[in-house]
Amino acid sequence: MNKPIPLLNDPDWRRVSALPIHENNEALVPASLASSGLHCYPAYYKLGIPNAVPECHMRRGVYQRLLTASRSLPEGLTLLVLDSWRPYSVQQYLYDTLYNAIENHWPDKPAAELEQLTREFVSLPSTDPRAPSPHLTGGSVDVTLVDEHGLMLDMGTQFDEATSWSHTAAFEQLDTPTAHEQKVIANRRLLYQAMTGAGFTNLPSEWWHYDFGNQLWAWYSGQPQACYGPTHPESLESRWRKEIDRRHQ
């Protein structure tokens, strides 16, 4: 688990969005199903983000791989899920909030550059079935590590901190890391190796962001297609409507 984290290029979003999606219709499941081996803390809901949901929903295959990753960790450490499936409205809120913050700091930058800086940490909001926002697929997860007391390990930056130090391999580039920086490097390597060992890929600009099954995963794993498109948790109303529709076919 002490293998260095490779330095990867940022995604070419135009080409990522062009990858075909062959939806496998895998259901979303809540992370809180796990009685052990996985913790869930819906960060955006806890922060009061408008329309954020009080659960971390994810595809079944993602859930199973998270359990595999968590069980591979050294004794006393566990994965903590901070976010997974994300409503479009939350994606739009996060994008607009970061875009506005960057624009206020650099008011003279052209719109294209502001968008590029924003997309470093927040994907473009999209419900396009051919190119959905990664979190809208239920295939993206934001995770970290916690100790036996439920306290988060030091990863060098906070979750969602929009700085270059949040890049997954940022601390790997230091020539003479301090004792504290060496601990950060070790913690990030633990998370990275556990997650990639379970089949996930990482977004290089975010140490917390991992993917399986969606277009980002296909891009970084060299797959010709994705298997997760946009989805949403099933509501009681939608379930009843489906049952009524089947009866009258």
Side-chain angles (χ1 to χ4, degrees), residues 150-173:
L151 297 174
M152 297 183 197
L153 269 58
D154 187 353
M155 293 293 179
T157 68
Q158 298 295 316
F159 164 59
D160 259 357
E161 188 171 320
T163 72
S164 60
W165 289 109
S166 289
H167 291 207
T168 312
F171 287 82
E172 299 279 357
Q173 313 311 308

Side-chain angles (χ1 to χ4, degrees), residues 35-223:
S35 58
S36 63
L38 199 63
H39 294 307
C40 176
Y41 184 86
Y44 294 131
Y45 178 79
K46 299 290 187 180
L47 287 169
I49 301 298
N51 300 313
V53 294
E55 176 62 85
C56 294
H57 299 278
M58 61 194 63
R59 299 284 189 141
R60 182 179 293 271
V62 172
Y63 173 82
Q64 293 168 334
R65 284 168 175 79
L66 282 178
L67 288 175
T68 297
S70 196
R71 289 164 182 163
S72 74
L73 293 167
E75 185 176 356
L77 297 181
T78 310
L79 276 178
L80 173 66
V81 183
L82 298 165
D83 189 43
S84 187
W85 178 83
R86 186 183 296 168
Y88 172 81
S89 57
V90 173
Q91 188 71 29
Q92 186 71 64
Y93 176 90
L94 296 173
Y95 184 89
D96 290 345
T97 301
L98 182 55
Y99 185 98
N100 291 337
I102 294 172
E103 185 178 33
N104 287 336
H105 189 74
W106 290 297
D108 297 327
K109 284 188 181 295
E113 190 171 350
L114 292 173
E115 179 179 310
Q116 182 180 359
L117 289 169
T118 304
R119 293 187 72 173
E120 185 177 353
F121 296 102
V122 181
S123 298
L124 193 68
S126 172
T127 57
D128 185 345
R130 298 166 300 178
S133 302
H135 276 278
L136 193 64
T137 69
S140 296
V141 286
D142 295 332
V143 292
T144 190
L145 298 175
V146 293
D147 63 18
E148 65 271 21
H149 305 296
L151 297 174
M152 297 183 197
L153 269 58
D154 187 353
M155 293 293 179
T157 68
Q158 298 295 316
F159 164 59
D160 259 357
E161 188 171 320
T163 72
S164 60
W165 289 109
S166 289
H167 291 207
T168 312
F171 287 82
E172 299 279 357
Q173 313 311 308
L174 296 173
D175 293 327
T176 55
T178 64
H180 169 251
E181 290 164 344
Q182 289 174 5
K183 186 63 176 177
V184 169
I185 292 169
N187 290 341
R188 289 195 184 188
R189 288 180 181 180
L190 272 176
L191 179 61
Y192 184 88
Q193 299 301 334
M195 293 295 288
T196 56
F200 291 94
T201 60
N202 171 249
L203 180 62
S205 58
E206 300 177 355
W207 59 259
W208 55 83
H209 181 110
Y210 288 85
D211 296 282
F212 179 82
N214 58 21
Q215 288 170 310
L216 263 182
W217 165 82
W219 172 258
Y220 279 112
S221 61
Q223 299 297 317

Side-chain angles (χ1 to χ4, degrees), residues 233-243:
E234 187 177 46
S235 66
L236 181 60
E237 180 184 0
S238 67
R239 188 184 308 165
W240 283 347
R241 287 184 181 276
K242 289 178 183 177
E243 292 170 354

